[in-house]
Amino acid sequence: MSRVKAAVFASGTGSNFQAMLDESDLACEIVLLICDRPEAAVIEKARQHQIPVYQFDPKQYATKEAYERELVTVLKKARVQWIFLAGYMRIVGSYLLHAYQGKIVNIHPSLLPDFPGKDAITQAFAAKVDKTGVTIHFIDEGIDTGPIIAQQTVDMYPDDTIRSLTKRIQQVEHKLYPKIIKQLVQNEGEL
Ligand code: GRF
């Protein structure tokens, strides 16, 4: 039986992408990395694992719909069924959203709806909250507003620095995201 195929969209370091690859029982196969930044470290991680990379430059297209049309063509050709965003720094537009309705998932380093958008860890740190965390949610047209799938709390301590807090949040991300991906893919198989 062929496995469910997934694509990861990422623009940065790729530590979550790596965590997915390290999970031996992800219930799906990552067949494609989509990246909009040629210098992103995540690209090298994909190459090391022989995962095809589709790199694109949004500035080369007249509109968001134009590049999303091309992305959807690439995704369909690779028979991708799920899209997992992991540090993809762009808002998904309606063309891609409609093509993959209910199949685009994001990870965000805060307890949404608190601290949406960029620099969520820094925002939480500056707000001196006791707790922050990690949210996994479906994507909708807004910025980090889609239906929440899972959340995990991370305590913030008085002697925390942004660095120490980031490290603890990442440790949670790297366990939670693969676990939720597996559940989503398997639950769908049982529908
Ligand atoms: C993660 O903190 C994720 O929650 C956010 O972007 C960051 C990506 O980090 N959406 P990495 O590239 O996976 O290391």
Side-chain angles (χ1 to χ4, degrees), residues 12-17 86-87 106-109 170 173:
T13 316
S15 68
N16 282 282
F17 176 67
N106 183 40
I107 185 162
H108 183 79
Q170 284 178 335
E173 288 192 330

Side-chain angles (χ1 to χ4, degrees), residues 8-72:
V8 174
F9 283 41
S11 318
T13 316
S15 68
N16 282 282
F17 176 67
Q18 184 68 55
M20 293 174 206
L21 298 178
D22 289 345
E23 171 58 64
S24 57
D25 192 17
L26 196 63
C28 59
E29 184 187 357
I30 296 168
V31 295
L32 192 59
L33 171 72
I34 304 251
C35 184
D36 59 339
R37 285 183 49 223
E39 74 284 9
V42 66
I43 292 175
E44 185 50 34
K45 292 189 167 77
R47 298 235 158 97
Q48 281 166 7
H49 289 83
Q50 286 86 45
I51 293 173
V53 178
Y54 183 79
Q55 222 180 288
F56 74 104
D57 178 0
K59 290 202 243 25
Q60 302 299 317
Y61 299 82
T63 61
K64 185 183 281 266
E65 179 171 332
Y67 72 71
E68 289 198 340
R69 272 183 187 277
E70 191 161 312
L71 291 182
V72 169

Side-chain angles (χ1 to χ4, degrees), residues 73-182:
T73 304
V74 170
L75 291 162
K76 296 285 181 196
K77 197 171 164 209
R79 299 186 181 281
V80 165
Q81 291 151 275
W82 283 90
I83 296 173
F84 301 116
L85 309 185
Y88 178 66
M89 301 305 285
R90 290 184 181 277
I91 297 170
V92 175
S94 57
Y95 188 85
L96 182 53
L97 268 177
H98 286 120
Y100 279 89
Q101 193 89 52
K103 292 295 182 70
I104 312 180
V105 176
N106 183 40
I107 185 162
H108 183 79
S110 78
L111 294 176
L112 291 172
D114 292 343
F115 312 121
K118 276 188 185 171
D119 302 324
I121 300 175
T122 310
Q123 289 183 54
F125 188 81
K128 296 188 168 55
V129 289
D130 295 339
K131 293 176 195 308
T132 180
V134 174
T135 302
I136 294 174
H137 65 98
F138 288 109
I139 285 290
D140 67 7
E141 310 249 357
I143 299 178
D144 302 323
T145 50
I148 290 173
I149 303 165
Q151 288 187 305
Q152 190 168 325
T153 297
V154 173
D155 288 330
M156 198 153 115
Y157 304 123
D159 62 347
D160 257 330
T161 59
I162 291 185
R163 197 187 166 109
S164 63
L165 181 61
T166 301
K167 194 169 170 200
R168 277 206 315 291
I169 286 180
Q170 284 178 335
Q171 283 167 349
V172 169
E173 288 192 330
H174 299 163
K175 285 205 163 66
L176 189 64
Y177 209 6
K179 181 177 133 190
I180 298 301
I181 289 172
K182 181 178 172 183

